[in-house]
């Protein structure tokens, strides 16, 4: 069974299929750009030229990595969210009772308390630290690196180097220099492979491999979606990722300013955060874009779904399900009469019924909805979904006339924070901060 996009409820309410025609008419232009950028090596997330090198360099690291019970990942944004999604989807045991397998900890914030909780409990000699940063200079990641380096050194001296792997640019950045200086093991983040498009490189796959996840299957799934685009860019016109992009752009142009990512594959819930970052950081540009809203079925039926159904009519929905989820233990034949209709049914039947009910309720309440129906929920399927969404994000950005691969707006806050911490070379930011802080405070206690 193939995975599929089910379109019958996508063009509804304020949106008709005619609204996507101007976008679809640009398929030739998009194909030409795709051909140009893939042959220039600028879209490695699609063409995956790094795969053979990764397959040669990652496996030899695994015995050393798997000799440790713990892996501590230091990274943020695109350097963390893919690994977390894969962990929760395919190696969720750590959150459950009786777990004895490998443990992955992802430190993607500057929370001193949480960081302390990790370092005070993790045994350095049984922990592999993986520091992930494409730029090699992200302050949140680097600051944790410095502290963890001290922590390792304090307990094992020079052997700290055996417990640190860096995943970063092949040639530039502070982290690459550190790897050279201390002879640290490293894997590359290839040129042009920006954070949020890098989950299917060493960035996400080293942690996945540590957990015993079938990382090759993730790559195979991604390749199955990307290959037609990479091999013959003109196939974009009929490719599901382009159809999705045309729909998303049409939604935006018809005042649907939010895009719900409603995930009815509960194990895949963390893909909501991964998708939200991919979509928001790629497409929130020049006053344009749609706000991604991740939600998990069925949990969020009892939470934000009320707003989806009866709040402002400004939402479209990507609705994700998987076939084959109707398993699970069955209800007994002795259920009380009031619940007789559940007798003999597997627990999993609730998920299918509730997904259908919610889908229909959304459709009835003015939400154009594209049903993404996965044939199964294994790693290969996840790889296919990730590539579908990455390609769709790229094409949506091109249709919008923005660059979906950069994120200039978030730089300002970073520069101001650096200035606040006393970094050199931020004269303008220092005076901007002073002016900001000089505004009299308008306080109200509570
Ligand atoms: O998607 C992106 O490009 C960003 O979210 C980055 O992943 C994030 O800022 C971390 O960057 P880096 O990997 O360079 O440390």
């Amino acid at each position: 069974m193939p995975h599929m996009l089910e379109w019958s409820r996508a063009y509804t309410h304020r949106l008709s299929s005619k609204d996507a025609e101007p976008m679809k008419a640009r398929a030739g232009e998009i194909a030409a750009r795709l051909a140009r950028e893939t042959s220039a090596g600028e879209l490695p997330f699609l063409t995956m030229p790094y795969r053979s090198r990764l397959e040669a360099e990652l496996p030899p690291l695994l015995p050393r990595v798997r000799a440790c019970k713990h892996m501590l990942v230091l990274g943020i944004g695109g350097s963390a969210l893919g690994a977390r999604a894969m962990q929760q989807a395919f190696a969720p045991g750590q959150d459950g009772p009786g777990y004895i397998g490998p443990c992955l900890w992802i430190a993607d914030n500057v929370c001193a308390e949480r960081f302390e909780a990790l370092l005070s409990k993790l045994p350095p000699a049984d922990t592999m630290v993986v520091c992930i940063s494409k730029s090699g200079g992200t302050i949140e990641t680097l600051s944790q690196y410095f502290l963890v380096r001290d922590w390792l050194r304090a307990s094992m001296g020079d052997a700290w180097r055996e417990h640190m792997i860096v995943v970063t640019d092949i040639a530039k950045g502070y982290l690459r220099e550190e790897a050279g200086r201390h002879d640290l093991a490293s894997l590359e983040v290839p040129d042009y492979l920006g954070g949020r498009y890098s989950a299917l490189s060493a960035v996400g796959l080293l942690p996945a491999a540590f957990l015993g996840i079938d990382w090759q299957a993730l790559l195979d799934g991604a390749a199955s979606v990307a290959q037609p685009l990479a091999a013959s860019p003109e196939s974009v016109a009929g490719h599901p990722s382009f159809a999705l992009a045309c729909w998303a752009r049409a939604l935006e142009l018809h005042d649907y300013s939010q895009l719900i990512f409603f995930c009815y594959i509960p194990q895949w819930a963390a893909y909501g955060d991964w998708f939200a970052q991919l979509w928001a950081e790629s497409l929130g540009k020049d006053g344009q874009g749609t706000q991604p809203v991740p939600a998990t079925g069925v949990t969020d039926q009892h939470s934000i779904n009320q707003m989806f159904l009866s709040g402002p009519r400004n939402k479209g929905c990507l609705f994700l399900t998987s076939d084959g989820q109707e398993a699970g233990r069955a209800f007994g034949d002795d259920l009380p009469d009031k619940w007789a209709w559940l007798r003999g049914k597997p627990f999993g039947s609730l998920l299918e019924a509730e997904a259908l009910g919610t889908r229909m309720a959304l459709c009835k309440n003015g939400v154009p909805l594209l049903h993404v129906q996965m044939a199964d929920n294994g790693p290969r399927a996840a790889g296919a979904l990730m590539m579908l969404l990455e390609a769709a994000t790229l094409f949506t950005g091109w249709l919008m006339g923005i660059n979906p691969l950069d994120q200039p707006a978030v730089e300002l806050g970073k520069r101001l924070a650096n200035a606040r911490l006393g970094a050199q070379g931020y004269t303008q930011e220092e005076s901007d901060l002073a002016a900001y802080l000089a505004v009299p405070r308008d306080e109200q206690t509570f």
Side-chain angles (χ1 to χ4, degrees), residues 76-79 132-138 141 194-197 277 281 407 414:
I76 196 166
S79 291
I132 307 177
S133 173
K134 163 70 179 156
S135 62
T138 300
T141 304
R196 54 195 179 273
Y197 296 88
Q277 192 241 356
E281 212 163 43
Q407 59 281 336
K414 293 185 197 170

Side-chain angles (χ1 to χ4, degrees), residues 149-338:
R149 194 182 63 180
D150 290 349
W151 173 78
L152 287 174
R153 239 185 212 146
S155 82
M156 60 182 71
D158 275 354
W160 74 272
R161 294 196 294 252
E162 301 299 313
H163 286 257
M164 177 73 76
I165 298 174
V166 303
V167 179
T168 191
D169 189 277
I170 189 76
K172 37 183 204 306
Y174 185 82
L175 209 48
R176 176 53 63 192
E177 290 165 22
E178 270 294 279
R181 216 171 355 256
H182 300 294
D183 198 21
L184 303 176
S186 68
L187 291 170
E188 71 162 324
V189 186
D191 283 348
Y192 297 111
L193 196 66
R196 54 195 179 273
Y197 296 88
S198 71
L200 295 173
S201 71
V203 169
L205 298 181
L206 177 59
F210 165 73
L211 290 169
I213 294 169
D214 188 349
W215 57 280
Q216 300 272 15
L218 280 150
L219 284 167
D220 289 343
S224 73
V225 172
Q227 214 276 336
L229 292 170
S232 41
E234 64 284 358
S235 70
V236 75
H239 198 273
S241 61
F242 183 62
L244 202 166
C246 292
W247 175 72
R249 181 62 175 150
L251 275 175
E252 183 188 354
L253 293 176
H254 288 78
D255 298 325
Y256 291 99
S257 57
Q258 302 195 355
L259 183 62
I260 303 163
F261 180 86
F262 218 149
C263 180
Y264 270 77
I265 309 176
Q267 309 92 307
W268 288 19
Y271 274 104
D273 289 339
W274 171 83
F275 171 73
Q277 192 241 356
L278 171 70
W279 193 258
E281 212 163 43
S282 299
L283 302 179
K285 313 258 162 83
D286 300 342
Q288 301 185 78
T290 48
Q291 179 69 38
V293 184
T296 301
V298 303
T299 310
D300 284 322
Q301 282 176 217
H302 297 259
S303 172
I304 51 181
N305 195 35
Q306 172 70 26
M307 185 66 83
F308 297 164
L309 295 169
S310 200
R313 301 281 186 256
N314 63 347
K315 296 167 188 67
C317 181
L318 278 174
F319 197 96
L320 183 67
T321 66
S322 166
D323 293 349
Q325 295 194 109
E326 289 185 50
R329 62 177 66 198
F331 297 105
D333 291 332
D334 56 350
L335 285 194
D337 286 347
K338 183 173 160 44

